[in-house]
Amino acid sequence: METSRSAELFAEAQHHIPGGVNSPVRAFRGVGGTPRFIEHGAGAYLYDADGNKYIDYVLSWGPLILGHAHPEIVWVVSNQAARGTSFGAPTASETELAQLITAAMPAVELVRFVSSGTEATMSAIRLARAYTKRAKVIKFAGCYHGHADEFLVQAGSGVATLGLPDSPGVPPAATADTLSVPYNDLDAVEAVLKQHHDQVAAIIVEPVAGNMGLVPPLPGYLTGLRALADAHDALLVFDEVMTGFRVAPGGAQELYGVTPDLTCLGKVIGGGLPAAAYGGRREIMQQIAPAGPVYQAGTLSGNPLAMVAGAATLRAISAPGVFERLSQVAAQLRDGFAAAAEAANVPLQAASVGSMWGFFFAAAPIRDYASAKQHADTARYARFFHAMLERGVYLAPSQFEAAFVSLAHDDAEVEYTLEAARAAFRA
Ligand code: KE4
């Protein structure tokens, strides 16, 4: 496959940008090789600087649930741009998107928009600490909540891939109140809550983990977290930046029937533009300035372009049958990969939840970060990744990420992908 133009662009980028990328996972460090510089996207496809075409299962790490350059998104963003891109003043478009979110997620009575998932989670934790007047936060090893100092403790996603459980530059004081326990283990949470009784402000969790690879919650796990949070007067925060409007119309909280106190959102709600949010019970969210004393602000928060793109996206995916279709496509890929791996005698653990899917090169089910790091064959993943890339299928350039599908992924894309996988598992 010709990649010389991407290689040139990557060399040039590295003279101006650390590692040549604006987010670490894009540099292909987890799989090796030359990151593809993308010229444009259309529907389910990416087209790179050398003219190669790929079926895209990264979809900008989740946001592009309608596929690339969807006509409705292009129209609403272009139309808004011609009327102005940012005002630093309230617009009706922010209320419109807020209404769509609160209608889909009844637990989100009030919502505040920010520009990234990192801002959403850091703000939610500040709010939880203010509301409970407590300092400690429980998170889960392998779960990633963005790069705010307090979270860079055994995070997932890029940090997991880079093997940097604690980033330099994060002072001990910043993480002193962050308690990290294994995912899918209620006893570990209960023990920490008892040890730090009356000090834990919040439990923050990816209700379906997507940053250590795709690791669904065990049956009863989320219900157990809800009960433990209640028993210890801690807030339960669902980080649904990835799962929101991805695993179900109302997110993981709808899919599993567990109501969090606060919810963090991102990715899909911006329709491919920078937007994220945090929200929850009115009595808690009313503490946020200027309604209350907890300070949080942002120059481009609620940006009109992102608001109209997000609203158009949420309207489109709320149509009847959309999530059934998305879930069906993800399940076809899950089952097709499992069958292809078995036929090639390759140990594989494949899973899907709604329109998220993923797989580990492992012989036993992966339940948490420790088992992902111990059992997932990252070298095998890297070989498979490149074998698929050569065949025009763009998967996440890391074993510790999830895959996604969009409404643009039709039967033809699924069939092509499974044909490529049957060959790649034997490569
Ligand atoms: P951002 O700050 O990157 O918008 O969101 C952080 C974040 C928070 N919570 C969850 C559950 C997330 O998945 C993320 C971001 N996800 C990663 C990849 N899984 C974004 C990709 C990247 O870091 O480049």
Side-chain angles (χ1 to χ4, degrees), residues 35-92:
R36 301 303 197 264
F37 276 61
I38 302 305
E39 292 253 296
H40 74 281
Y45 293 90
L46 291 176
Y47 299 81
D48 75 11
D50 291 280
N52 301 306
K53 177 181 178 182
Y54 309 94
I55 300 174
D56 180 17
Y57 289 104
V58 176
L59 293 167
S60 185
W61 303 98
L64 278 300
I65 199 164
L66 299 184
H68 294 285
H70 187 282
E72 178 63 15
I73 304 303
V74 173
W75 160 244
V76 295
V77 171
S78 306
N79 182 54
Q80 178 59 50
R83 301 160 57 83
T85 57
S86 181
F87 311 112
T91 66

Side-chain angles (χ1 to χ4, degrees), residues 17-29 61 144 147 157-158 162:
I17 300 168
V21 293
N22 286 301
S23 199
V25 69
R26 303 177 190 174
F28 276 26
R29 295 275 175 105
W61 303 98
Y144 176 69
H147 64 88
S157 187
L162 296 175

Side-chain angles (χ1 to χ4, degrees), residues 23 25 61 116-118 144-146 157 206 211 239 241-242 267 401:
S23 199
V25 69
W61 303 98
S116 73
T118 293
Y144 176 69
H145 305 294
S157 187
E206 288 185 58
N211 286 290
D239 179 350
V241 167
M242 186 183 288
K267 298 181 190 276
E401 296 289 353

